[in-house]
Amino acid sequence: MANPIERIKNYTNKITTTHFPFNTNGEYDIDSSPKVKSILECLDELGLDYIQDKRYGIIVANSFNKEHENNNKAIKEKLKEVDLIVVSHIDMISKFNKKEVLDKFKDDFSKLDKLEDEISGPLDNTITNATLLALLALRVKNLSDDCKDIMVIFSIGEEDKAERGFKEKNGTEKFMDKFVNHLKDDVKFINLDVTASEYHDYKNDEKIVAFIEYDENLNSNKINKSDKYSKLDIFENLDIDENIMFCDYGEDGTSDDLEEIVLYEDVFGFTLGLNTYGTIHSLKNRTTVRNIDSYFNQLNKFFDSEFFRPNFR
């Protein structure tokens, strides 16, 4: 895929804004979040359907049956068709959730060009939000993919309350609790987040563009059972970038949403973590255009894969 960074720039420009989901009375109201509003505008432009719900976040699909009297029934009906669910949390730590910080990030991102160019700042998790929207745009607008077998969750409440600065429900936890018994038996989850060298032994290896982080429920699929960084046999026939490393999530994983997904027996899920360098919750946390491009391209390969989408073709 030629130059994904230009596609992603379009969406960082549109959605890099604050997430304060409160109305003028100070009451929690997801519709009042500037970031939620900006994401919904992007989805409208793409012609995708969505349900925004204070329990979960933004649930996206090609269509929902809006004749149902409540959101849960519409989601349950749609899940009968869904083979792949992609999750990307939209909440941020308070250090990142500031207009001046996000405006600088947006401006810096717009100047990216060469593969070796670096971007630092509030990567977690605006960068995967924008990448996911850019990929949906490619699939829907350029590849005539109706995405009828895909559901996307722009989830809320992933970060710790103390770091986020306000109370917000963990959307993925609430989603799984409500809908786990309505998932297809072979549904796959891909959780999108950023990861960092502080969580891994390969601190100085900047060739690694991303990690496929998996929880102990997939340990039986390790090719080398004793290796934290073992590949999984279920991925052997998939097209995986040679600079993406597998990693046993263990106790040092980087995404609470994955924990909520694989909490349930026989639910398949992993995190595709964009590799970043330095401390993850720091304005000095950085990554490269090369990493972002490769991350986008790998996610696009997953969208083309029969393993994830057996009913796509």
Side-chain angles (χ1 to χ4, degrees):
M1 182 59 57
N3 208 11
I5 199 69
E6 294 302 322
R7 294 179 177 275
I8 298 168
K9 281 181 187 178
N10 183 40
Y11 287 96
T12 52
N13 185 56
K14 290 180 177 180
I15 70 161
T16 303
T17 186
T18 56
H19 174 59
F20 285 117
F22 297 94
N23 61 25
T24 54
N25 295 323
E27 301 166 325
Y28 186 92
D29 176 21
I30 192 169
D31 295 337
S32 295
S33 163
K35 189 171 185 180
V36 168
K37 290 178 182 178
S38 66
I39 291 173
L40 297 186
E41 288 174 1
C42 293
L43 296 172
D44 285 334
E45 291 174 2
L46 295 176
L48 291 169
D49 205 358
Y50 53 81
I51 292 171
Q52 68 266 38
D53 192 298
K54 66 181 181 180
R55 294 165 293 186
Y56 318 123
I58 307 169
I59 314 294
V60 185
N62 71 324
S63 65
F64 289 100
N65 183 353
K66 297 297 180 63
E67 293 182 1
H68 288 298
E69 66 269 25
N70 63 58
N71 291 342
N72 286 344
K73 288 187 177 181
I75 294 169
K76 286 176 183 177
E77 181 178 305
K78 182 61 187 177
L79 284 170
K80 295 175 183 177
E81 301 179 80
V82 171
D83 294 312
L84 174 63
I85 300 177
V86 185
V87 181
S88 177
H89 76 85
I90 65 172
D91 62 316
M92 297 169 276
I93 63 170
S94 58
K95 184 188 304 181
F96 293 171
N97 198 17
K98 297 177 180 178
K99 184 179 186 303
E100 62 274 18
V101 170
L102 293 166
D103 283 349
K104 182 180 185 304
F105 178 74
K106 185 190 305 186
D107 184 58
D108 290 346
F109 204 96
S110 70
K111 298 172 184 175
L112 294 177
D113 181 27
K114 300 179 179 63
L115 288 174
E116 62 270 20
D117 285 353
E118 293 187 349
I119 180 72
S120 61
L123 302 173
D124 186 9
N125 198 27
T126 295
I127 186 61
T128 81
N129 304 154
T131 299
L132 181 52
L133 284 166
L135 182 59
L136 289 173
L138 171 69
R139 305 298 306 190
V140 171
K141 295 296 186 183
N142 298 93
L143 301 179
S144 300
D145 184 351
D146 61 15
C147 294
K148 67 180 181 181
D149 56 338
I150 291 174
M151 181 174 285
V152 165
I153 306 173
F154 289 103
S155 64
I156 55 176
E158 192 269 351
E159 302 290 2
D160 291 340
K161 177 187 173 183
E163 290 198 88
R164 188 173 52 249
F166 57 84
K167 186 177 180 180
E168 185 172 62
K169 293 178 180 177
N170 184 306
T172 301
E173 176 188 7
K174 297 299 181 186
F175 180 91
M176 294 301 296
D177 182 59
K178 191 68 180 179
F179 301 112
V180 67
N181 293 324
H182 299 275
L183 301 173
K184 292 176 70 171
D185 289 342
D186 57 352
V187 70
K188 310 290 195 301
F189 281 83
I190 303 176
N191 178 54
L192 307 183
D193 213 330
V194 303
T195 190
S197 59
E198 63 186 293
Y199 292 96
H200 301 293
D201 297 333
Y202 293 82
K203 296 183 185 302
N204 299 314
D205 191 346
E206 297 199 6
K207 292 184 299 183
I208 298 171
V209 299
F211 284 86
I212 290 176
E213 295 185 341
Y214 53 91
D215 203 73
E216 61 183 12
N217 66 323
L218 294 180
N219 281 353
S220 61
N221 296 103
K222 282 185 174 184
I223 295 173
N224 183 348
K225 298 293 191 290
S226 63
D227 183 6
K228 178 179 179 179
Y229 297 96
S230 173
K231 291 184 178 179
L232 301 176
D233 56 17
I234 49 179
F235 285 87
E236 279 196 291
N237 295 321
L238 299 183
D239 185 5
I240 306 292
D241 187 305
E242 65 179 359
N243 292 314
I244 290 178
M245 179 166 278
F246 289 76
C247 181
D248 177 350
Y249 186 84
E251 297 179 358
D252 298 321
T254 54
S255 180
D256 293 338
D257 276 351
L258 179 61
E259 294 176 2
E260 300 300 339
I261 291 165
V262 300
L263 178 65
Y264 299 89
E265 187 176 2
D266 297 327
V267 175
F268 177 92
F270 63 91
T271 291
L272 182 62
L274 175 69
N275 198 24
T276 68
Y277 312 109
T279 305
I280 201 165
H281 280 173
S282 163
L283 292 173
K284 294 181 180 180
N285 188 219
R286 60 185 173 84
T287 193
T288 64
V289 170
R290 184 176 73 94
N291 288 8
I292 298 167
D293 278 4
S294 297
Y295 188 87
F296 177 98
N297 289 335
Q298 186 60 62
L299 191 56
N300 188 42
K301 289 177 184 178
F302 288 153
F303 272 49
D304 272 331
S305 169
E306 185 177 358
F307 176 75
F308 292 101
R309 302 179 67 188
N311 299 300
F312 172 44
R313 300 297 183 189

